[in-house]
Amino acid sequence: MEVEKITEEAPEVKTFRLKFKNPEDAEKFEFKAGQFGEYSVMGEGESTFCIASAPTRKGYIECTFRKAGRVTGALANLEEGETIGFRGPYGNVFPIDEWKGKNLLYIAGGIALPPMRCVIWNTLDLRENYKDITIIYGARSVEDLVYKNELKEWEERPDVKLVTTVDPGGQTPDWKGEIGFVPTVLEKVAPSSKDTIAIVCGPPIMIKYTFPVLEKLGFTDETIYTTLENRMKCGFGKCGRCNVGKYFVCKDGPVFTLKQLKELPDEY
Amino acid sequence: MEIEKKLIKKASLEKLFEKLQAKGNKIFAPVSKDGKTEFQYNPSYAEVTYDHIQTTQSLKNTVFPKIENLIRFKTDRSGVEVTEVDLTQVQSLVLWGVHPCDAAGFNALKSIFMWDYKDEYFNSRLQKIAVIGLSCHKSDDNCFCTSVGLNPGGTQGCDILLTKLSSGDFLAEIITEKGKAIVTEASELFETAPSETKEGNLAQVNQQFSHEKVTKNLAGAFEHPFWVENSLRCIGCGACAFVCPACACFDIQDETKGKNGKRLRCWDSCGFGLFTIHTSGHNPREVQSQRWRQRILHKFSYMPERNESLGCIGCGRCSRACPVDMNILEQLVSLEKL
Amino acid sequence: MESIRKKAKELLDSKQVQVIIGYENGTSNKVRAAFITDPTQVDRLIYDERCTQNLAVYLVKHEVKHLGKMGIVATIPVMRTINMLISEEQVKPENVVVLGIGEDGKLLDFPDLTVMESFLQKAKIEITAKDKEAMEKLKKMTTQEKFDYWSNALETCFKCYACRSSCPLCYCTRCAVECNQPQWIPVQANKNGNYEWHMLRAMHLAGRCVSCGDCGRACPLDIPVHLLTMHMAEESKRLFGVDSGFSMKMESVLSNYKLDDKDNFIQ
Ligand SMILES: Cc1cc2nc3c(=O)[nH]c(=O)nc-3n(C[C@H](O)[C@H](O)[C@H](O)COP(=O)(O)OP(=O)(O)OC[C@H]3O[C@@H](n4cnc5c(N)ncnc54)[C@H](O)[C@@H]3O)c2cc1C
Ligand code: SF4
Ligand code: SF4
Ligand code: SF4
Ligand code: SF4
Ligand code: FES
């Protein structure tokens, strides 16, 4: 695939807009919100990222990644017009059809907004299917917030409630959002759990402290969704790397409800 | 196809081997050297052994090579050019003298590689092998085929199964069309089946545990202290997984020389400390007991449930290869009683 | 054997240690490491000529350390390893009690580790006759012959890393073969990848290897990789005049610089 456009989101974080080189492939390619792919730089290897653009936006896909190691380091050095390898889509999906007629509460931290961006846009593009949509997004500092343009767009939309927050000390003088950790902010915003689905993505520590708050707000385990990020190689249940108990995160996941998560052995 | 029985005399067996070789078939057969037996490509007939208990390495290399070339690529200024590997070029291969457990091992691998997404690299190789089995007339205390639903004269996975009779001649059971084709092309070497049965010429391998019971016990054993208590001495190498005919874990790595490169699939093992580590440093399986637990659970709990096959054929290779005497049979016997 | 059991029981009963790392009977007439935490279990401990595993490998294992202070049954190579691990700050002297075994197979009484240190300074280091013979044979080869020998021997290696895992001095949690930025050593087990891996290992153990031979014994394919590290041990003795593991304050021969170094290439 060709790297059509590169956006610098935050320090070390970039978004690639990718276009299929072969129009036939573009035609055939279909995916759903929540799925991921294996992106590669020839000679360096493959890396797993979720598809960050919405399936309702056709003709391209996007991925957002943080420079973390060998492959992401090589990706970060690429320029527009260069080619990368892609295979996918793999994994299960957010059941957005089942969510029809409900309120949606998105809670994301740091670099975990990308996996969520796909489903956010997906549901925004099908806006009439859902009631209230609330997004709570936090990052370490203002600088670390990704998708700044889109955040602005969501902020301006009357049909979305967006709350952004940065960790204490991460604010700039003109910061107008909240200051505090995501779970704390969530408690403050206190959205109603009635008829609501909560989708939580973020670093393990954030997730850990977010679940109890959601439970306090009355969310049941079946209405809380999250994604797991186990180390992967193949993406289709063969290489044996990503399993949590008998489930493969690459095949049975990455999307799990809290109910499913609680049934999994502690191996993630 | 109904199993057909024939007799092949000792001398004719040699002729069959040579005939197959003369036809240009590549043969992979067990050869003993310095007290160790390993399968070897194209040995001379005199080198082939019929008396070994088990080879150190399994046969999985023939369908799941330790390094599999997935794609080739060329990078230069104008871009990247990727070429697929032509799998129609995979050579056919005759596996000679394969013990019944090993023949069944291909099914265990198949249950992983052909589950859900079909792996064409594996499948093309699998299609190209012919398995000429050899019943076991000897075993050691690491063998436990009968505890995992197999037996020393089992035909599963074989195209032809040979059993050495008291006379030194062999009973040939022709199991598949592939086997039949081999026999048809050398029909002069086969004679009417003898009255002597296979059963009297097999090793005695007593069943030591019920694998159904083990699977059942494992379902609730994730947090059991058993794992730590019984794996303190495990040093986390990959010996057990690499000699195992049913282990299929792999890593994907690129290799480049100048502008040209290959993407390779290499054997990997859940016993290695860094197998599951994330770039962030977080490791879902931080200590060895968790990795040992994964090994047993994968083979005896997850695979039966997800892949409808056990991940173990009872060949005992891992127990023989382990440098610190982690004996899988001993542990399975304890797990049955858990 | 009785004296080992008695000592082990004494140490456990008096809570001087929480675990004894020793040998017990395993399967198929093999022996294996035992971790005894319960004084009533000391009779499992044995010692005979089959007990060759270098148990010091467990002194740095997370789950073993977790059991508490360790007592360890240690033959001479194991004692030397303990010195090395203390020198390299992997083991705290106050966390181990050594149940030494002399050349005659008898229990040695070490009230503290300094006594072990002085014992080692006088002890003979022996490698097995078989290894000695193999080393001699290799030494007589020309460079090309040696290269061919090792290329052949190492080609079958499938990188199970049993040699590395069995070695108490290969304790890095991220071995150089696992560093991928840059990728120093190819991951795949092919001719070049294998050669580079074993050369790297030999170099990394130069002056540190205590010649216990465990890496070679661990190899499921019987590749005599211990001859490489043993050769490096001989070489560092020849060049730097030290045997590894003779004190608790060993300096690393390859990463230390002395002003009075007899070679001047570095100046
Ligand atoms: C389902 C899923 C979705 C992901 N989505 C994103 C995303 O949208 N944006 C993003 O920045 N990151 C994402 N990650 C994490 C990302 O895959 C790793 O950060 C990345 O693979 C690191 O690769 P590297 O080669 O640069 O690092 P190295 O440390 O050099 O890693 C080498 C190999 O390790 C594996 N690996 C290492 N860490 C991880 C990890 N945390 N998760 C999975 N595999 C790992 C990869 O297979 C990689 O090829 C996702 C991971 C998963 C499993
Ligand atoms: S686990 Fe051990 S006994 Fe079972 S198939 Fe693998 S090597 Fe053989
Ligand atoms: S036992 Fe471990 S190495 Fe073997 S197939 Fe299962 S997960 Fe992979
Ligand atoms: S069980 Fe044995 S062979 Fe397997 S990882 Fe542990 S020490 Fe290595
Ligand atoms: S133990 Fe043997 S096969 Fe395994 S990595 Fe070492 S030399 Fe290679
Ligand atoms: S990534 Fe290979 S099994 Fe899941």
Side-chain angles (χ1 to χ4, degrees):
Chain A
M1 296 185 94
E2 184 182 316
V3 182
E4 198 181 25
K5 191 168 143 229
I6 300 178
T7 319
E8 305 254 357
E9 302 285 358
E12 312 265 270
V13 180
K14 286 185 182 182
T15 296
F16 280 4
R17 175 171 292 194
L18 304 164
K19 221 176 68 187
F20 283 98
K21 285 204 153 174
N22 182 346
E24 254 174 58
D25 291 342
E27 199 58 36
K28 272 193 293 194
F29 187 76
E30 264 181 40
F31 74 100
K32 291 207 166 101
Q35 293 192 291
F36 62 91
E38 290 290 335
Y39 303 74
S40 64
V41 179
M42 298 300 156
E44 300 297 338
E46 297 186 313
S47 221
T48 320
F49 315 124
C50 52
I51 303 175
S53 53
T56 36
R57 313 275 164 108
K58 303 246 187 262
Y60 65 87
I61 58 167
E62 286 182 327
C63 67
T64 302
F65 62 91
R66 182 198 295 278
K67 188 175 157 194
R70 181 169 175 195
V71 182
T72 48
L75 281 169
N77 289 336
L78 294 182
E79 286 169 21
E80 286 176 7
E82 289 196 270
T83 306
I84 69 164
F86 173 82
R87 54 187 181 90
Y90 301 124
N92 70 350
V93 303
F94 285 110
I96 56 167
D97 289 340
E98 285 173 26
W99 299 347
K100 274 186 190 160
K102 302 210 169 174
N103 304 311
L104 302 177
L105 168 65
Y106 294 106
I107 306 164
I111 175 83
L113 188 56
M116 212 171 247
R117 176 189 184 228
C118 170
V119 58
I120 294 179
W121 276 119
N122 200 173
T123 49
L124 285 179
D125 287 347
L126 305 167
R127 188 64 188 88
E128 66 283 4
N129 288 346
Y130 308 96
K131 295 202 284 192
D132 294 348
I133 295 187
T134 312
I135 304 169
I136 301 179
Y137 173 49
R140 233 174 324 170
S141 71
V142 177
E143 207 188 13
D144 287 313
L145 291 165
V146 297
Y147 303 137
K148 295 195 177 66
N149 293 334
E150 280 155 73
L151 289 175
K152 211 149 135 211
E153 194 183 328
W154 292 341
E155 182 152 32
E156 283 161 6
R157 275 178 82 139
D159 58 353
V160 183
K161 178 173 176 190
L162 174 75
V163 182
T164 46
T165 177
V166 294
D167 292 355
Q171 69 272 30
T172 50
D174 54 356
W175 174 244
K176 291 197 204 65
E178 299 280 337
I179 298 170
F181 298 109
V182 171
T184 330
V185 172
L186 172 67
E187 211 163 354
K188 202 167 120 194
V189 177
S192 153
S193 59
K194 190 163 168 292
D195 249 359
T196 307
I197 298 288
I199 303 101
V200 190
C201 293
I205 182 89
M206 180 203 104
I207 295 192
K208 194 174 150 208
Y209 287 105
T210 302
F211 287 155
V213 179
L214 285 172
E215 275 168 25
K216 223 159 65 188
L217 291 171
F219 284 87
T220 58
D221 292 351
E222 295 86 15
T223 57
I224 304 177
Y225 286 80
T226 188
T227 58
L228 284 186
E229 221 183 69
N230 269 31
R231 183 164 176 162
M232 294 184 181
K233 282 287 174 181
C234 69
F236 40 76
K238 307 261 181 280
C239 74
R241 203 168 294 262
C242 69
N243 70 303
V244 178
K246 67 181 180 203
Y247 297 104
F248 291 99
V249 176
C250 68
K251 201 178 120 53
D252 308 309
V255 179
F256 292 93
T257 61
L258 181 56
K259 179 164 183 276
Q260 289 169 323
L261 216 58
K262 283 188 174 166
E263 283 160 13
L264 290 180
D266 183 15
E267 219 184 3
Y268 47 86
Chain B
M1 181 182 149
E2 201 175 316
I3 295 180
E4 205 183 326
K5 288 185 183 154
K6 299 227 180 231
L7 175 82
I8 182 162
K9 291 245 169 73
K10 205 175 158 198
S12 306
L13 194 61
E14 176 166 3
K15 290 209 183 89
L16 178 66
F17 185 91
E18 278 158 5
K19 194 161 179 176
L20 285 168
Q21 235 169 7
K23 281 205 189 119
N25 283 299
K26 205 168 164 191
I27 301 187
F28 202 42
V31 171
S32 295
K33 220 186 274 161
D34 306 326
K36 252 182 142 58
T37 309
E38 292 285 24
F39 278 87
Q40 223 179 67
Y41 286 105
N42 291 329
S44 70
Y45 187 75
E47 288 175 293
V48 178
T49 168
Y50 293 91
D51 282 326
H52 67 291
I53 290 173
Q54 201 35 294
T55 53
T56 304
Q57 295 192 66
S58 80
L59 284 158
K60 73 174 164 193
N61 207 10
T62 59
V63 284
F64 169 42
K66 70 176 178 179
I67 307 170
E68 176 86 85
N69 191 354
L70 300 175
I71 50 169
R72 282 173 215 285
F73 52 84
K74 200 168 163 181
T75 34
D76 54 30
R77 223 164 265 179
S78 61
V80 190
E81 196 191 314
V82 176
T83 8
E84 306 275 333
V85 174
D86 183 2
L87 291 171
T88 58
Q89 296 300 309
V90 171
Q91 273 192 10
S92 59
L93 182 65
V94 177
L95 307 181
W96 183 277
V98 178
H99 283 334
C101 59
D102 282 343
F106 292 111
N107 285 338
L109 286 179
K110 202 163 139 188
S111 78
I112 296 176
F113 284 109
M114 301 303 279
W115 171 69
D116 192 43
Y117 176 88
K118 313 270 176 284
D119 186 273
E120 276 316 311
Y121 298 91
F122 171 83
N123 196 32
S124 341
R125 291 185 190 280
L126 188 68
Q127 297 308 321
K128 287 292 174 78
I129 57 167
V131 179
I132 301 188
L134 175 70
S135 297
C136 298
H137 63 91
K138 268 201 222 164
S139 64
D140 70 9
D141 54 1
N142 292 307
C143 294
F144 60 98
C145 54
T146 48
S147 307
V148 289
L150 302 170
N151 74 76
T155 54
Q156 192 195 131
C158 296
D159 294 306
I160 298 174
L161 177 69
L162 303 170
T163 305
K164 197 173 179 180
L165 301 173
S166 53
S167 58
D169 297 334
F170 291 82
L171 171 74
E173 289 172 275
I174 301 127
I175 300 133
T176 63
E177 293 296 338
K178 220 186 237 175
K180 198 168 174 183
I182 294 175
V183 174
T184 314
E185 286 203 21
S187 53
E188 74 282 4
L189 302 173
F190 291 87
E191 298 166 32
T192 334
S195 54
E196 192 176 344
T197 62
K198 166 166 85 173
E199 283 64 33
N201 291 286
L202 299 176
Q204 176 75 27
V205 182
N206 297 329
Q207 189 183 334
Q208 312 235 30
F209 62 89
S210 136
H211 64 83
E212 288 95 353
K213 186 84 198 298
V214 169
T215 301
K216 197 165 144 258
N217 286 353
L218 288 176
F222 197 84
E223 308 282 354
H224 202 282
F226 178 89
W227 306 113
V228 181
E229 280 162 19
N230 289 282
S231 69
L232 278 172
R233 67 179 179 280
C234 170
I235 52 177
C237 60
C240 49
F242 287 9
V243 298
C244 175
C247 273
C249 284
F250 59 81
D251 186 8
I252 300 175
Q253 289 284 340
D254 286 4
E255 180 183 56
T256 43
K257 263 201 203 97
K259 287 180 187 154
N260 297 303
K262 296 179 207 162
R263 179 151 294 157
L264 307 171
R265 170 162 88 186
C266 313
W267 289 355
D268 208 338
S269 163
C270 66
F272 290 142
L274 302 184
F275 187 64
T276 52
I277 199 169
H278 297 189
T279 311
S280 63
H282 171 66
N283 193 348
R285 290 188 210 122
E286 256 188 312
V287 289
Q288 203 55 35
S289 59
Q290 297 168 333
R291 301 173 202 134
W292 175 252
R293 174 177 66 195
Q294 161 69 12
R295 181 167 177 79
I296 300 288
L297 285 176
H298 186 227
K299 292 178 172 303
F300 288 88
S301 175
Y302 309 155
M303 278 187 66
E305 188 165 341
R306 299 301 302 269
N307 306 67
E308 289 163 20
S309 158
L310 284 174
C312 171
I313 54 153
C315 68
R317 284 193 177 83
C318 54
S319 306
R320 293 182 203 101
C322 177
V324 296
D325 194 33
M326 290 287 285
N327 186 301
I328 195 168
L329 173 57
E330 183 190 24
Q331 301 225 356
L332 290 167
V333 168
S334 317
L335 283 165
E336 189 202 24
K337 301 195 187 87
L338 206 66
Chain C
M1 214 146 81
E2 272 318 310
S3 52
I4 296 175
R5 290 175 183 165
K6 201 166 140 244
K7 181 79 187 171
K9 187 158 183 331
E10 213 177 284
L11 289 168
L12 286 168
D13 275 337
S14 63
K15 304 216 161 26
Q16 276 172 275
V17 302
Q18 278 71 50
V19 57
I20 296 283
I21 310 171
Y23 301 95
E24 69 177 342
N25 276 312
T27 63
S28 310
N29 195 34
K30 287 186 272 193
V31 294
R32 65 187 181 200
F35 304 86
I36 312 276
T37 50
D38 175 356
T40 63
Q41 293 277 310
V42 294
D43 287 345
R44 276 165 54 197
L45 291 170
I46 57 154
Y47 183 79
D48 59 38
E49 65 290 338
R50 293 171 301 164
C51 301
T52 49
Q53 190 194 353
N54 189 334
L55 296 178
V57 73
Y58 296 114
L59 293 176
V60 294
K61 292 264 183 280
H62 185 82
E63 287 176 296
V64 178
K65 280 204 289 199
H66 190 74
L67 296 172
K69 195 166 161 177
M70 301 168 280
I72 180 170
V73 175
T75 52
I76 292 172
V78 181
M79 290 185 235
R80 291 175 64 200
T81 313
I82 294 170
N83 269 344
M84 284 312 290
L85 290 171
I86 292 171
S87 305
E88 295 177 3
E89 293 178 18
Q90 296 303 312
V91 167
K92 291 202 184 91
E94 63 274 20
N95 283 347
V96 265
V97 173
V98 175
L99 287 77
I101 310 261
E103 284 146 69
D104 51 3
K106 293 230 169 67
L107 182 73
L108 300 163
D109 195 24
F110 296 137
D112 67 51
L113 292 184
T114 51
V115 185
M116 171 183 91
E117 222 178 356
S118 2
F119 166 81
L120 281 179
Q121 265 142 30
K122 284 179 277 173
K124 267 212 309 256
I125 6 170
E126 287 277 12
I127 59 172
T128 64
K130 195 169 154 233
D131 287 342
K132 224 181 260 171
E133 194 191 313
M135 300 266 281
E136 288 310 315
K137 211 161 125 195
L138 273 165
K139 267 184 221 152
K140 288 197 192 98
M141 291 184 188
T142 64
T143 311
Q144 184 61 41
E145 282 168 348
K146 269 188 218 155
F147 182 80
D148 293 344
Y149 171 83
W150 283 113
S151 298
N152 261 329
L154 298 177
E155 195 175 356
T156 52
C157 165
F158 52 22
K159 288 204 176 155
C160 70
Y161 297 128
C163 47
R164 178 183 75 183
S165 309
S166 70
C167 174
L169 291 158
C170 272
Y171 50 70
C172 307
T173 42
R174 194 179 275 268
C175 169
V177 295
E178 277 138 1
C179 294
N180 66 359
Q181 296 173 78
Q183 186 83 47
W184 295 104
I185 308 285
V187 173
Q188 55 277 16
N190 56 12
K191 204 164 184 162
N192 282 340
N194 291 350
Y195 207 87
E196 284 179 45
W197 143 238
H198 285 288
M199 291 309 129
L200 169 114
R201 202 179 92 85
M203 286 312 289
H204 196 195
L205 283 158
R208 301 173 61 238
C209 170
V210 296
S211 303
C212 70
D214 238 17
C215 49
R217 273 193 297 274
C219 178
L221 307 181
D222 289 351
I223 305 173
V225 284
H226 60 298
L227 300 179
L228 289 169
T229 50
M230 281 185 180
H231 179 69
M232 293 313 290
E234 272 190 7
E235 282 298 281
S236 46
K237 165 103 180 174
R238 187 173 66 82
L239 294 166
F240 304 100
V242 280
D243 274 313
S244 62
F246 273 79
S247 88
M248 288 185 273
K249 290 194 196 66
M250 297 296 298
E251 288 176 342
S252 163
V253 293
L254 290 193
S255 54
N256 258 295
Y257 172 68
K258 289 201 185 99
L259 277 175
D260 56 352
D261 202 306
K262 67 184 164 75
D263 283 327
N264 61 4
F265 64 91
I266 206 164
Q267 285 165 3

